[in-house]
Amino acid sequence: MQPLHHIAWHLPENLDFQNLQLSLADRFAFKRETENKKVCRWYDTFDWRLFQSNHILTREGQDWILQDLAGRRVDKLRGGRKIYRFSRDFPQSSLRDTLTPILSVRALIELGSADIYTQRLNILNGDKKTVAQVELKKITPKHNDRQLATIRLQEVRGYANWLKKIKKHLLALNISEQTTPSDILLFIAESSGRTPLDYSSKYDVPLDPEMTSRDAAVRIYRFLLAAIRKNEQGVLDDIDSEFLHDLRVAVRRTRSAITLLRGVLSPEIEGRFKEEFKYIGAITGSVRDLDVYLLNRDSYGKKLPERLRSGLDIFFDDLAERRRREQRKMVRTMRGPRYQRILDEWESILSSDAETVAGEKETIPISELAGKIIHKRFRKVLRDGKKIHADTQDEELHRLRIECKKLRYSLEFFSSLYDPKRIQQFIRQLKMLQDNLGDFNDLSVQQHMLADLLSHIRPGTVKARELAAAIGGLMTGLFLRHQDVRTRFEKTFAHFSREKNLALYHALFG
Amino acid sequence: MAVIAVYNIKGGVGKTATSVNLAYLSADSGNKTLLCDMDPQGSASYYFRIKAPKKFNADKLLKGGKAVLKNIRGTDYPNLDLLPADFTYRNLDLALDDCKKSTKRISTILKPLVKEYDTIFLDCPPNITLLSENIFKAADILLIPFIPTTLSLLSFQQLLNFFKKTGIDRKKLYVFFSMVEKRKRMHLDMMARFQGRKRVLKQPVPFLADVEKMGIFRKPVLEIAPNSPAARSYRLLWREVEKIVAQKQ
Ligand SMILES: Nc1ncnc2c1ncn2[C@@H]1O[C@H](COP(=O)(O)OP(=O)(O)OP(=O)(O)O)[C@@H](O)[C@H]1O
Ligand SMILES: [Mg+2]
């Protein structure tokens, strides 16, 4: 069956609802429904996951409404009085099922709110049957005195000719600029200082091959500093774990860039800020470690029989409490003088063109320096990787993981200087190797966590014994997978260092 | 998904009033609902202020597919559509007789609609005809408004015989008491005889003036007087029917 048509326009400023209704009344009979006024709030994650997946989520009172960007209703839920932040906070519903994979670990934040005044007109035929609906809306954002007025026309099945007639009438009134709910979202976001897709955790800094190394470095550092700053508030307010994660990634990238680009800035500055960013990494580390544990909470719960879960709860509640303390401590430190000074001074160095800031390599074209850096990193990964065999210590694999990360960062920093298709292809190859090493690391972190958990169980009760046994089972599972990932390393590395990939490398970087 | 036909051999027992109000309630509880007006008199269409399009007729109905989809009309209420009846439906029996598989034609016509709607109501004309036999086969539930009188009992017996003869599943049949007048001894006696039997619904619809107002206002009684006893009894009746639908799934 054909879906019903609907279409919406901006209402020109010189046309108020009164005049519009008078004009419609010349041509059409209609019945005014009782007008209504309500507050509507718009939500998305900080990195616009809903918007990116073509969704708009709003709440009016207790009603949550999910639409697509074109304004088709996707789902609706009458919620409770509580405001839901994570998808898991929503009651069991198809809406929650839709949101869960999109939001993943991210929290919803309010993008803005508005008063919405709605007036519905039912257009009637000679039998006083509704044959089309006209909806007038006035949207007044909080904290903003600009208004948006829209008119929406909705088809009633079987009366398409009426839609045409009304459309023609509206066009004659100079109503022609179409609008969708995404325009309203833009308008609302703008009134609270945001624009869709204004934040993404993806690294994206295009460079010119002709640029001096210093200009390129400054561009990279600036982007990363901006990422740190954008995530700060979310970290302080503890909105979700991704703010801290993204902040730490930007810090790690900055440290890595300082090392890779050694000699572009003055040695004193490089030496000092390597230490400073290491400090930021350190003061944020323990909260992140606890986050990683806590993010596993649900998946572990599901792996244990229902009646043993309370044993897990004690452990995880304890972790959550520890995290609360660490978070408070971290917030105090971040609000303290050293953290702020680091970023302020780093910023002023990045905007200075003083000679004192410059290092010996500052004028080398970045394309030249980039090639050297990548060569060095790649050779190191190849050399270290080849040395690993069946009885190498786990420690070596962890070191290789770090080396791969450095290579990955250098590829990302300089990818815009190379053939985009090939470099993506090469990064994909590297990623396969990194995935193997990442899984290996992940599984050992998880084993540590379970060992930790095991040591927290107070012996004595039957339940405690059963829980210990169940955790033992999980640990065995993890151990076996750990072994499996470990044995697959050699194959994965051989794949990475095979002739074809080396040829690709040389085609890219000479 | 359920096809619910509201049927009785007898005329004027409240078939249309029931179809209109239950279809409204079905839509109101969130089911995409279609009401097919099968009666050439078109009373259900009239209550929704919908006229059959000029190009629509019995032949178009029997053709099925797009020819039918194109003629569905949205009512004034969310989730509720209607397929209007045309006056040419009075010859449906003859036209059906000319069709291949003449007793399964309506099932075939409903097939694409079943994909679009959660619930389909059929408001049927009275009498036993080829059209009604078609409808008995197409429906999952046959809802019989039954005015509790001896006369009704006779016609109900007639219906059961027909089902036996044609071998249609009698478990589809559900009876509820319609236009019940508490002051009438006979109504109460008759109800007492049937109350509690299998496939006899508990909730009666009393004889109430508000239902008659539907003809004046051309709206379901649930819109005219949502808090009236009439509205309440349809609501309770729908709750029972809803449960039967759920069981059938
Ligand atoms: N519960 C009721 N109380 C009072 N009047 C009713 C009730 N139900 C139906 N009526 C009225 O009785 C008349 C016949 O009802 P309705 O049209 O629903 O019956 P029907 O079985 O569809 O008739 P037909 O066989 O002519 O199609 C209508 O005028 C209707 O308003
Ligand atoms: Mg009727």
Side-chain angles (χ1 to χ4, degrees):
Chain A
M1 205 148 61
Q2 289 287 323
L4 293 173
H5 283 289
H6 58 84
I7 178 165
W9 297 271
H10 282 292
L11 219 50
E13 264 166 45
N14 57 8
L15 194 61
D16 63 26
F17 285 7
Q18 205 60 42
N19 288 331
L20 183 69
Q21 289 181 49
L22 284 174
S23 157
L24 280 169
D26 283 344
R27 257 311 251 107
F28 303 97
F30 60 80
K31 183 166 172 276
R32 282 167 57 121
E33 284 194 1
T34 42
E35 57 207 24
N36 91 41
K37 216 171 174 167
K38 51 192 167 190
V39 179
C40 183
R41 293 163 202 284
W42 280 256
Y43 295 88
D44 206 331
T45 64
F46 186 62
D47 55 355
W48 303 94
R49 292 186 183 195
L50 287 171
F51 186 84
Q52 285 202 41
S53 65
N54 191 25
H55 287 99
I56 294 178
L57 180 68
T58 52
R59 178 170 69 85
E60 291 167 5
Q62 299 181 10
D63 289 331
W64 293 81
I65 296 161
L66 189 66
Q67 289 177 291
D68 67 11
L69 294 179
R72 277 177 291 260
R73 167 79 59 82
V74 179
D75 213 335
K76 186 176 168 172
L77 172 76
R78 158 66 44 105
R81 200 154 309 152
K82 238 179 72 191
I83 290 169
Y84 310 124
R85 294 209 302 130
F86 294 96
S87 60
R88 60 165 186 269
D89 297 339
F90 282 80
Q92 190 98 56
S93 56
S94 62
L95 180 74
R96 183 170 90 174
D97 294 343
T98 312
L99 293 180
T100 300
I102 299 173
L103 305 187
S104 180
V105 298
R106 292 232 76 157
L108 292 170
I109 49 181
E110 189 181 307
L111 295 171
S113 62
D115 285 320
I116 300 195
Y117 165 88
T118 309
Q119 171 73 67
R120 277 253 291 265
L121 312 175
N122 292 329
I123 307 283
L124 306 174
N125 67 8
D127 291 324
K128 296 211 162 64
K129 156 92 181 79
T130 303
V131 287
Q133 279 177 341
V134 175
E135 196 177 69
L136 300 168
K137 268 195 168 138
K138 205 175 283 164
I139 299 151
T140 318
K142 296 262 159 75
H143 325 296
N144 194 329
D145 40 358
R146 266 183 63 209
Q147 263 191 355
L148 197 72
T150 64
I151 175 168
R152 184 175 190 275
L153 200 54
Q154 170 70 51
E155 180 188 5
V156 173
R157 185 166 307 286
Y159 300 93
N161 53 334
W162 282 86
L163 208 68
K164 267 191 219 138
K165 273 189 247 178
I166 302 165
K167 224 152 108 177
K168 213 166 134 193
H169 187 83
L170 295 178
L171 273 172
L173 294 175
N174 243 335
I175 296 174
S176 56
E177 192 193 338
Q178 282 196 31
T179 178
T180 61
S182 52
D183 294 334
I184 299 172
L185 174 78
L186 246 70
F187 177 65
I188 297 296
E190 190 185 295
S191 67
S192 43
R194 295 211 53 191
T195 326
L197 308 183
D198 58 7
Y199 179 78
S200 154
S201 61
K202 255 186 78 176
Y203 177 85
D204 178 26
V205 183
L207 302 176
D208 286 324
E210 259 86 279
M211 268 178 144
T212 65
S213 291
R214 176 158 170 197
D215 287 347
V218 165
R219 196 178 275 188
I220 293 170
Y221 292 139
R222 276 226 178 102
F223 175 89
L224 295 171
L225 178 59
I228 295 173
R229 287 251 149 100
K230 282 181 189 169
N231 280 293
E232 236 165 47
Q233 200 57 47
V235 170
L236 295 174
D237 297 343
D238 202 8
I239 290 171
D240 65 37
S241 58
E242 290 304 284
F243 286 97
L244 182 61
H245 177 251
D246 286 4
L247 182 142
R248 284 173 53 81
V249 170
V251 167
R252 213 179 307 128
R253 281 198 171 115
T254 306
R255 286 171 64 194
S256 198
I258 294 176
T259 313
L260 294 167
L261 293 162
R262 188 165 42 224
V264 174
L265 296 182
S266 80
E268 299 78 58
I269 288 172
E270 288 178 348
R272 182 182 151 209
F273 279 92
K274 248 174 85 173
E275 281 309 308
E276 299 286 43
F277 281 106
K278 192 170 166 189
Y279 165 78
I280 298 180
I283 61 172
T284 52
S286 51
V287 176
R288 177 62 198 170
D289 289 347
L290 289 162
D291 277 341
V292 172
Y293 276 17
L294 286 164
L295 287 170
N296 278 315
R297 182 174 190 155
D298 288 346
S299 73
Y300 278 111
K302 279 185 204 123
K303 282 178 198 147
L304 283 180
E306 183 99 37
R307 44 184 221 89
L308 294 182
R309 282 180 204 163
S310 59
L312 272 192
D313 284 340
I314 298 172
F315 174 69
F316 279 112
D317 287 347
D318 192 39
L319 281 187
E321 181 50 41
R322 243 162 76 199
R323 187 193 174 283
R324 265 191 292 280
R325 280 198 305 270
E326 290 295 335
Q327 165 79 16
R328 272 200 297 274
K329 209 165 95 193
M330 177 179 76
V331 167
R332 264 200 309 277
T333 319
M334 283 174 69
R335 291 221 167 98
R338 179 163 176 196
Y339 173 84
Q340 291 302 336
R341 188 164 23 90
I342 293 171
L343 297 186
D344 288 345
E345 288 184 15
W346 184 234
E347 174 148 30
S348 76
I349 284 166
L350 298 182
S351 38
S352 139
D353 45 18
E355 268 314 302
T356 48
V357 169
E360 45 176 353
K361 294 184 187 164
E362 69 153 343
T363 51
I364 302 178
I366 188 62
S367 49
E368 207 173 295
L369 192 60
K372 282 186 187 143
I373 291 169
I374 292 172
H375 269 310
K376 198 167 152 197
R377 296 321 337 156
F378 184 61
R379 274 200 303 275
K380 178 104 172 97
V381 166
L382 280 188
R383 210 174 331 119
D384 291 2
K386 269 188 195 131
K387 274 192 249 160
I388 293 175
H389 46 80
D391 356 285
T392 316
Q393 295 273 303
D394 286 359
E395 201 38 49
E396 293 302 315
L397 272 100
H398 289 301
R399 251 198 282 279
L400 183 64
R401 185 174 66 88
I402 310 292
E403 284 307 326
C404 285
K405 212 170 229 172
K406 285 186 194 159
L407 173 60
R408 175 72 173 274
Y409 284 156
S410 63
L411 290 171
E412 281 172 358
F413 290 147
F414 306 126
S415 66
S416 59
L417 303 172
Y418 299 95
D419 176 54
K421 236 171 105 181
R422 279 186 174 154
I423 193 124
Q424 283 318 317
Q425 209 178 336
F426 186 70
I427 288 179
R428 254 200 316 279
Q429 296 296 324
L430 174 60
K431 194 171 171 296
M432 281 193 270
L433 178 60
Q434 283 188 293
D435 284 347
N436 176 271
L437 293 165
D439 286 350
F440 185 74
N441 183 53
D442 219 44
L443 288 163
S444 66
V445 170
Q446 287 193 50
Q447 288 182 82
H448 275 124
M449 181 179 87
L450 287 183
D452 208 8
L453 168 56
L454 208 50
S455 70
H456 273 71
I457 296 174
R458 288 204 201 92
T461 64
V462 176
K463 221 168 181 180
R465 262 207 311 278
E466 283 183 66
L467 182 62
I471 291 166
L474 291 180
M475 284 179 83
T476 314
L478 287 176
F479 176 76
L480 291 175
R481 269 176 60 206
H482 201 210
Q483 293 268 296
D484 180 48
V485 171
R486 175 71 175 80
T487 36
R488 262 185 300 142
F489 168 77
E490 262 146 285
K491 247 199 178 135
T492 314
F493 187 79
H495 189 80
F496 176 72
S497 53
R498 73 194 192 282
E499 209 38 64
K500 194 174 153 204
N501 204 33
L502 295 183
L504 174 64
Y505 175 85
H506 289 301
L508 263 168
F509 308 107
Chain B
M1 164 58 230
V3 176
I4 303 171
V6 185
Y7 174 80
N8 196 318
I9 297 179
K10 272 169 61 76
V13 297
K15 295 186 292 289
T16 302
T18 306
S19 317
V20 165
N21 289 303
L22 293 193
Y24 176 93
L25 287 165
S26 161
D28 192 52
S29 40
N31 305 308
K32 271 203 83 186
T33 304
L34 177 69
L35 170 56
C36 297
D37 187 355
M38 305 304 294
D39 187 340
Q41 294 185 39
S43 332
S45 311
Y46 179 81
Y47 287 137
F48 286 106
R49 302 166 185 267
I50 294 173
K51 285 197 191 104
K54 284 195 190 72
K55 286 180 198 155
F56 188 57
N57 54 38
D59 290 342
K60 289 273 167 65
L61 174 74
L62 294 182
K63 212 167 142 196
K66 275 217 183 88
V68 168
L69 285 176
K70 260 193 358 216
N71 288 291
I72 291 174
R73 294 287 176 265
T75 67
D76 291 4
Y77 314 106
N79 278 334
L80 181 56
D81 288 353
L82 179 134
L83 180 66
D86 187 64
F87 196 55
T88 53
Y89 277 20
R90 69 188 186 283
N91 301 321
L92 261 180
D93 257 11
L94 294 177
L96 273 170
D97 202 34
D98 291 338
C99 291
K100 278 185 219 150
K101 295 199 180 150
S102 65
T103 63
K104 289 205 171 138
R105 192 71 208 157
I106 297 292
S107 305
T108 315
I109 293 165
L110 289 180
K111 218 167 251 165
L113 299 174
V114 164
K115 281 200 203 100
E116 303 280 350
Y117 293 94
D118 302 317
T119 319
I120 297 178
F121 280 91
L122 304 173
D123 180 26
C124 309
N127 300 323
I128 292 190
T129 59
L130 189 51
L131 173 63
S132 24
E133 192 178 341
N134 261 275
I135 287 170
F136 300 160
K137 288 195 172 153
D140 303 308
I141 292 169
L142 222 62
L143 199 55
I144 318 279
F146 185 99
I147 303 179
T149 62
T150 341
L151 218 59
S152 303
L153 193 57
L154 284 175
S155 60
F156 186 59
Q157 197 57 51
Q158 233 178 312
L159 180 66
L160 286 178
N161 291 340
F162 182 79
F163 266 59
K164 212 174 198 174
K165 198 176 77 192
T166 48
I168 303 171
D169 185 3
R170 281 197 282 181
K171 289 198 189 106
K172 289 180 180 180
L173 287 172
Y174 288 87
V175 174
F176 76 93
F177 298 110
S178 177
M179 299 170 124
V180 173
E181 290 176 78
K182 277 244 171 79
R183 293 174 296 114
K184 292 192 177 163
R185 192 75 251 158
M186 187 184 7
H187 280 200
L188 297 180
D189 287 350
M190 203 63 169
M191 279 170 66
R193 264 177 69 185
F194 283 89
Q195 209 73 295
R197 288 206 196 170
K198 239 194 226 166
R199 295 205 298 288
V200 174
L201 304 190
K202 286 196 195 71
Q203 180 61 41
V205 178
F207 188 93
L208 292 163
D210 278 333
V211 180
E212 287 175 302
K213 285 187 192 153
M214 286 175 38
I216 305 163
F217 290 100
R218 300 180 73 180
K219 281 177 183 176
V221 74
L222 288 133
E223 279 280 323
I224 302 169
N227 299 316
S228 63
R232 202 173 324 126
S233 51
Y234 281 118
R235 240 178 248 126
L236 292 171
L237 181 63
W238 170 240
R239 228 175 272 165
E240 270 189 86
V241 175
E242 227 176 2
K243 274 191 201 128
I244 296 167
V245 171
Q247 274 166 22
K248 296 251 164 191
Q249 252 123 43

